[in-house]
Amino acid sequence: MPGPRAVVGVSLAALAAGTFATIGIGALAPELQDEFGFSRGEIGVLIALLSVGSAVASRRAGTLTDSVGPVKVIAVSLVVFGAAILVAAAAPLAVLFMVAVFVAGLAYGGINPPTNVIVAGRMEGRLGFFMSVKQTGVPVGGFLAGVVLPPIAIWTSWRFAFTFAAMTAL
């Protein structure tokens, strides 16, 4: 049975990997505007699509976590998420990019409920502390997206940066 550090570490890493690519949309917005001709408002719509997908999937992810277990839900969510980000990275058309972002949002919604269950099931007595440590995966992923993805896009391309983000989830 994994110890507290492993449980919290894996949960934090899962959240960070998902957030890395989701925040990457905003971090790479100038490149997306150049590539697809997105307006500032349409960049906002991308974030809304991601968020709506996540909200829609979160409830179902909780139910799935109860029925098939948290590890399977996390694994499937990260694989689907990574695949959706890969599709976004290869998208030749704005509409395909937007669909891929929505699907990524659905998968992102599947990450948090099972990570909560894993931490809650192993951290009796210090649940608040360990849950807060796990949740730092979100700002860590956001920080890394802002620091890592723009330079990758500058040195290579936004598509490679998205591929890199997808690979962290996979």
Side-chain angles (χ1 to χ4, degrees), residues 18-72:
T19 304
F20 183 57
T22 59
I23 299 294
I25 292 169
L28 298 174
E31 286 79 9
L32 298 175
Q33 287 174 312
D34 290 346
E35 177 79 21
F36 295 116
F38 288 137
S39 68
R40 289 180 183 172
E42 288 167 331
I43 293 292
V45 168
L46 288 173
I47 303 304
L49 284 171
L50 185 87
S51 298
V52 166
S54 180
V56 166
S58 286
R59 183 170 179 218
R60 182 70 180 138
T63 303
L64 280 172
T65 297
D66 291 338
S67 63
V68 301
V71 173
K72 288 179 184 173

Side-chain angles (χ1 to χ4, degrees), residues 44-158:
V45 168
L46 288 173
I47 303 304
L49 284 171
L50 185 87
S51 298
V52 166
S54 180
V56 166
S58 286
R59 183 170 179 218
R60 182 70 180 138
T63 303
L64 280 172
T65 297
D66 291 338
S67 63
V68 301
V71 173
K72 288 179 184 173
V73 175
I74 292 168
V76 169
S77 294
L78 286 172
V79 167
V80 172
F81 180 82
I85 296 299
L86 283 174
V87 169
L93 303 170
V95 68
L96 183 56
F97 184 86
M98 294 173 92
V99 169
V101 165
F102 178 72
V103 172
L106 291 170
Y108 184 64
I111 298 171
N112 201 36
T115 60
N116 288 341
V117 168
I118 288 174
V119 172
R122 301 275 297 139
M123 305 302 158
E124 204 170 298
R126 297 194 62 202
L127 180 60
F129 171 74
F130 285 116
M131 197 67 75
S132 67
V133 171
K134 176 204 73 107
Q135 282 300 124
T136 63
V138 174
V140 165
F143 170 79
L144 291 173
V147 170
V148 172
L149 295 179
I152 290 174
I154 290 166
W155 294 327
T156 59
S157 71
W158 73 266

